[in-house]
Amino acid sequence: MVLSQCELTVLVTSTRSDSHNWNLVFLQLLIEELGHRVIGLGPCVPDDLLIEECRASRPDLVVMSSVNGHGYRDGLGAITRLRREPSLAELPVVIGGKLGVTGAPDTDAALGLLDAGFTAVFDDGNVAAFREFMTLLAGRLGQERDIARRNRVTA
């Protein structure tokens, strides 16, 4: 079965304590290269601003990036707050980059983030896995939108 692709609206953000910019530029270019629209929030995004922007822009996906090694701590706080919001409870949210300060991938941290509500975790920036995730998500949402369109026409 071939999945119908669709353009996603992707909100790209850093964690609240991460002031790095180039990773966000890279993510924006990568996501645009894959054919999607990007809303960039920039560095050091407080959880309240993230939630406010998700409510206002209704993205198909949130991509959170961490370079400073505080991805686990900051990501855990952000996803916990975001999942408390009923209108955002099902929103796909992924995190990637440096999740801890040791510099080594941490399976326990990744599992903890998934358990807290992240849709996917890309420890240390696994770009190939992220591309695959984006392709699958665009296909799934494209298929759902095709079904919704057909149901409107026949209803």
Side-chain angles (χ1 to χ4, degrees):
M1 175 203 253
V2 176
L3 295 177
S4 175
Q5 291 287 336
C6 71
E7 178 186 55
L8 303 177
T9 299
V10 181
L11 191 143
V12 175
T13 184
S14 71
T15 61
R16 65 180 168 243
S17 71
D18 200 314
S19 64
H20 295 87
N21 281 306
W22 287 113
N23 55 314
L24 301 173
V25 172
F26 171 81
L27 282 169
Q28 178 172 344
L29 293 172
L30 173 64
I31 293 165
E32 288 174 345
E33 179 183 287
L34 294 172
H36 307 294
R37 182 174 163 258
V38 174
I39 300 169
L41 286 185
C44 295
V45 175
D47 297 344
D48 289 338
L49 176 59
L50 173 63
I51 290 166
E52 180 182 316
E53 187 57 37
C54 286
R55 281 192 201 126
S57 64
R58 303 309 242 164
D60 298 302
L61 172 67
V62 173
V63 175
M64 188 175 290
S65 176
S66 174
V67 174
N68 69 358
H70 299 289
Y72 176 78
R73 185 193 69 210
D74 289 352
L76 196 57
I79 198 68
T80 300
R81 293 269 321 278
L82 196 132
R83 293 300 184 223
R84 280 191 213 139
E85 299 293 321
S87 65
L88 305 175
E90 299 299 318
L91 174 65
V93 181
V94 302
I95 189 168
K98 301 289 184 193
L99 301 179
V101 294
T102 65
D106 184 341
T107 303
D108 290 338
L111 291 173
L113 291 167
L114 290 169
D115 288 344
F118 277 97
T119 309
V121 177
F122 303 98
D123 199 358
D124 208 14
N126 186 338
V127 176
F130 178 71
R131 282 178 183 267
E132 182 179 354
F133 174 85
M134 292 289 299
T135 300
L136 291 172
L137 181 64
R140 182 178 61 83
L141 291 179
Q143 193 173 40
E144 289 173 5
R145 290 174 186 170
D146 289 346
I147 290 168
R149 273 191 222 95
R150 283 194 301 271
N151 287 339
R152 275 192 302 242
V153 170
T154 60

